Amino acid sequence: MSLNGPAFSSTRILVWAQLACAPDLDLARDEVARLRKLGLNVSFEVSVETDRPWSDLAEVLQSFDPDIFHYIGHGHRGRLIALDYDSDTGRSEREITPAELTHAFRKRSARLRGVVLNGCDTAHWAPHFIPDDGWVVGATRNVGDDPGTLFADMFYTYIEAGASAKDAFEDAVEYVAQADNGIRPPIVRWVMDPEPTVFLRQVFDRQSFRLPVRAEGSLYDLASALDGAHDALSTRTLATRTQIEDQSVVYCREPLDRELVRVLKKRLTLIRADLRLLIREFPDVVRFIDGWMSVQPDEWPYLLFLADRIDASRSALLSVVNATLPPDQHFPPIRLSSSE
């Protein structure tokens, strides 16, 4: 079987289940059981490591030499929550950094082609650790226990039936969406050379094009995201803001539609102008975490007016993007801050 790489007699899957760090994931054990069952198929070899310290991963990767690494557990802002050795307590929970993920998965292994990080908020730094000629699957935001487990179940069901990793991913996401009233789960697949429509969706599939201004954690992060989207459209590349050894960018080799890029960049410029106006008029809202609480009652209507302008202009931009995407991949409009 081939997973976008050399064909081997069987597909090896290493399951790294951090159940002790995720006692609230009620379906995690079902996901482990499903993957163990997959190992009964002669076309697959499945090794399950439960609550193994992260420091052991390099040795396990080298000895088992998997085609796919599958993580089950929690994530936080692109980091994984996992157990590791501690000189005082023996084992303790900690966050696995983007640099550590890169070190683990960019070893130029002869077999490793796929990385599945089945947890919330795990895909932020994926461009750094995409295996050679391979792919990374993860979530851009929080993903519920039910859709996450269902995605994994269907992804491997399609793989077992002989689908490519790309088709299995798309079919599994579509299956989860149909089971959840048409809501597409925030699960993405990163490759080094995505198709233009996939690339375009990944440019805007981030929190800064989801939340109203009033719910944004940092307006400086929003400004940075707008700049990043503009740069991505100009260069056809996606790069993260974290500097890591062997840093990678995702490059879309096929050209993007020039008129579409022109329209999107113009709309980004308008959004940035509206954001600069809000920052100038209400600097404390940007400077302090509780800045919204310090706004005087008579200033609220103007603040919400400016925030709504940014929300509406981002929704207008997403409607342009949606016109290029399949209906099941459309972005929802952003709620107005005044409705919060």
Side-chain angles (χ1 to χ4, degrees):
M1 181 175 295
S2 174
L3 292 169
N4 298 348
F8 297 103
S9 58
S10 63
T11 297
R12 295 179 183 172
I13 302 173
L14 173 61
V15 180
W16 201 264
Q18 294 291 291
L19 305 184
C21 300
D24 56 320
L25 297 182
D26 297 331
L27 299 178
R29 295 189 183 278
D30 293 343
E31 187 174 338
V32 170
R34 167 68 179 91
L35 287 161
R36 287 189 191 276
K37 183 179 179 181
L38 180 63
L40 299 178
N41 186 320
V42 296
S43 296
F44 293 85
E45 297 177 58
V46 177
S47 175
V48 177
E49 299 287 350
T50 301
D51 297 330
R52 189 87 177 258
W54 184 264
S55 300
D56 292 348
L57 178 61
E59 177 185 347
V60 176
L61 282 172
Q62 184 176 15
S63 61
F64 186 63
D65 198 17
D67 299 283
I68 299 176
F69 172 87
H70 185 101
Y71 168 83
I72 301 173
H74 281 311
H76 176 64
R77 297 181 67 84
R79 300 166 180 248
L80 305 185
I81 310 300
L83 293 176
D84 206 353
Y85 290 115
D86 184 276
S87 58
D88 296 324
T89 61
R91 289 196 305 176
S92 63
E93 180 180 309
R94 74 177 182 89
E95 292 188 354
I96 309 303
T97 67
E100 289 174 294
L101 294 174
T102 300
H103 183 72
F105 302 127
R106 291 295 299 279
K107 286 293 187 179
R108 312 303 194 264
S109 167
R111 292 186 70 116
L112 186 64
R113 289 294 177 270
V115 175
V116 180
L117 304 179
N118 200 15
C120 296
D121 228 12
T122 55
H124 286 53
W125 316 114
H128 293 293
F129 50 82
I130 299 173
D132 285 349
D133 299 320
W135 44 269
V136 174
V137 168
T140 56
R141 301 182 304 285
N142 289 344
V143 59
D145 195 13
D146 286 353
T149 302
L150 181 58
F151 167 81
D153 184 13
M154 297 312 302
F155 177 72
Y156 289 108
T157 295
Y158 293 125
I159 290 288
E160 190 174 16
S164 67
K166 176 179 181 293
D167 290 342
F169 169 81
E170 291 296 341
D171 290 345
V173 168
E174 175 62 21
Y175 189 97
V176 175
Q178 290 181 2
D180 195 17
N181 298 314
I183 300 174
R184 185 181 174 93
I187 300 173
V188 297
R189 176 177 177 267
W190 285 92
V191 296
M192 282 298 186
D193 181 18
E195 299 170 357
T197 54
V198 175
F199 174 81
L200 194 62
R201 195 177 201 287
Q202 288 177 330
V203 169
F204 296 102
D205 190 9
R206 59 182 79 188
Q207 182 170 292
S208 296
F209 294 96
R210 285 288 193 275
L211 298 177
V213 167
R214 191 172 177 179
E216 284 282 355
S218 168
L219 293 185
Y220 285 131
D221 285 347
L222 174 56
S224 179
L226 295 173
D227 291 342
H230 191 280
D231 292 343
L233 293 172
S234 298
T235 62
R236 301 208 308 275
T237 61
L238 279 169
T240 65
R241 287 171 286 172
T242 294
Q243 298 296 315
I244 300 176
E245 185 178 356
D246 286 337
Q247 182 166 341
S248 299
V249 297
V250 170
Y251 181 62
C252 180
R253 290 182 172 82
E254 292 186 49
L256 303 175
D257 182 272
R258 289 186 178 182
E259 178 60 18
L260 173 64
V261 170
R262 185 191 69 80
V263 171
L264 291 175
K265 289 169 72 172
K266 181 178 180 180
R267 289 191 176 275
L268 284 168
T269 299
L270 295 174
I271 298 169
R272 288 191 292 185
D274 288 340
L275 180 58
R276 284 196 299 270
L277 177 60
L278 187 150
I279 291 173
R280 186 176 72 241
E281 295 292 318
F282 295 93
D284 286 351
V285 169
V286 181
R287 189 177 299 121
F288 303 112
I289 295 177
D290 60 349
W292 287 81
M293 303 292 293
S294 65
V295 176
Q296 298 301 311
D298 62 333
E299 296 179 317
W300 267 99
Y302 184 43
L303 172 59
L304 291 177
F305 168 75
L306 295 179
D308 283 353
R309 275 181 53 162
I310 298 170
D311 297 334
S313 57
R314 284 183 294 165
S315 292
L317 179 146
L318 292 177
S319 69
V320 176
V321 177
N322 285 342
T324 71
L325 301 175
D328 64 313
Q329 296 186 28
H330 283 186
F331 293 107
I334 297 172
R335 303 185 311 276
L336 295 179
S337 293
S338 59
S339 68
E340 292 293 295

